[in-house]
Amino acid sequence: MTADRRDISSAGQSSGKPSAGGFADLGPRVASAAAMVIAALGALYLGGDVFALFWLAAAFAVSWEWQNLIGGEGRAPRIAVGGAAVAAAMAFGRVSMPGAAALAIALLAIAGAALAGAERRLWAATGVVYAGALAFSVCLLRESPDVGALAIAFLFAVVWGTDIFAYFGGRLIGGPKLWPRVSAGKTWSGTITGVLCGALLGLVAVYLGAGPQLANWRVFLVGLAAAAFSQVGDLFESSVKRRFGVKDSSQLIPGHGGAMDRLDGFIFASAFAAAVGLLRGAPSVAAGLFFW
């Protein structure tokens, strides 16, 4: 979950320096982010069904926003299919059945594509996979024995840290744009600052949660990769919104956009973390992130 997702990494950098009112919007964004952070941390602490339902709701919101954003025919049944996909992904993630989750998401993505018009079939299927990946990865990681909660806390620190420091790095340093065709505000300085600081904060979270024995350079490299993936997720969502001519994924969060705008980076980072854990073949998926 991100601190803010409307190109906050370096908005207002047209001159390469902060504009006169460069931080005028910081207060409302901090207040909105604080409420979401408290909710996410509370769900993480409680775990179990509370955690799963929290992320089921978040993933369903992402699926709903995606299908509305791309428009076209069959929108209501596509939303229902997306809801079924995130529910299946959550259920299989909680019992560590990645093969069953992948099959369910793939079949429901095909169903979503079949319900869409020819021009939007790939987009409709992609939305099912996008939301399903979120529900599956967070539940798979959280339910890992011993270090499941630490894995989610690590991702929170990495993604939130990346966003926050990209925001300040981009606004204070400025400089060349990262990819102006996709994100007009994002700069190289903000992105690099964010990725480095996000990885460092992830390492701090591991140190505080498990001690120095796990907080090593390998975990720092995992954090760097997760932070980089979170920025890719930001650019991906920006490109989708640009393709369909919208500023925010929805107005679900009044005045601050939608769930996709907040979770785009976290979706990519959590999917990356789950993939690393699965590929490493450690005693649990989350353990694969920390024990090398």
Side-chain angles (χ1 to χ4, degrees):
M1 186 170 292
T2 61
D4 191 279
R5 309 306 307 155
R6 287 177 292 178
D7 300 327
I8 64 174
S9 63
S10 52
Q13 290 294 332
S14 58
S15 65
K17 296 181 180 180
S19 60
F23 295 101
D25 59 347
L26 185 57
R29 291 182 178 185
V30 168
S32 175
M36 291 183 287
V37 165
I38 291 170
L41 290 177
L44 174 60
Y45 175 77
L46 293 171
D49 291 342
V50 173
F51 180 87
L53 290 173
F54 177 87
W55 286 102
L56 177 66
F60 179 80
V62 167
S63 178
W64 171 75
E65 288 176 352
W66 182 288
Q67 300 301 337
N68 278 324
L69 187 153
I70 68 171
E73 61 189 69
R75 194 175 311 182
R78 284 183 356 233
I79 291 171
V81 165
V86 299
M90 179 203 72
F92 289 126
R94 295 192 72 184
V95 294
S96 191
M97 295 178 64
L103 179 60
I105 292 171
L107 291 175
L108 289 163
I110 292 170
L115 293 166
E119 295 182 354
R120 287 175 170 78
R121 282 177 184 153
L122 181 59
W123 289 106
T126 301
V128 174
V129 175
Y130 188 62
L134 171 63
F136 172 72
S137 60
V138 293
C139 289
L140 180 70
L141 290 164
R142 180 62 180 87
E143 294 296 332
S144 296
D146 301 326
V147 290
L150 180 63
I152 300 298
F154 168 72
L155 288 173
F156 283 169
V158 168
V159 176
W160 294 343
T162 300
D163 286 342
I164 292 168
F165 283 94
Y167 176 93
F168 287 106
R171 291 198 172 196
L172 294 174
I173 301 171
K177 305 298 183 184
L178 177 64
W179 195 354
R181 287 184 59 188
V182 172
S183 180
K186 191 177 291 297
T187 60
W188 280 101
S189 63
T191 301
I192 293 170
T193 301
V195 167
L196 288 173
C197 292
L200 283 171
L201 286 174
L203 196 64
V204 170
V206 173
Y207 181 88
L208 294 175
Q213 65 273 19
L214 292 189
N216 53 52
W217 64 271
R218 295 179 181 85
V219 172
F220 176 73
L221 291 180
V222 173
L224 277 178
F229 269 96
S230 77
Q231 291 294 283
V232 172
D234 187 337
L235 291 170
F236 173 73
E237 199 224 2
S238 293
S239 69
V240 174
K241 291 191 295 185
R242 186 174 289 267
R243 164 66 176 77
F244 291 97
V246 299
K247 179 182 178 183
D248 297 316
S249 58
S250 78
Q251 295 303 318
L252 189 63
I253 305 170
H256 296 278
M260 280 174 58
D261 298 316
R262 298 303 183 275
L263 293 170
D264 48 10
F266 188 79
I267 293 170
F268 271 62
S270 62
F272 161 76
V276 169
L278 285 168
L279 289 172
R280 294 218 47 236
S284 72
V285 175
L289 298 176
F290 305 122
F291 297 97
W292 294 82

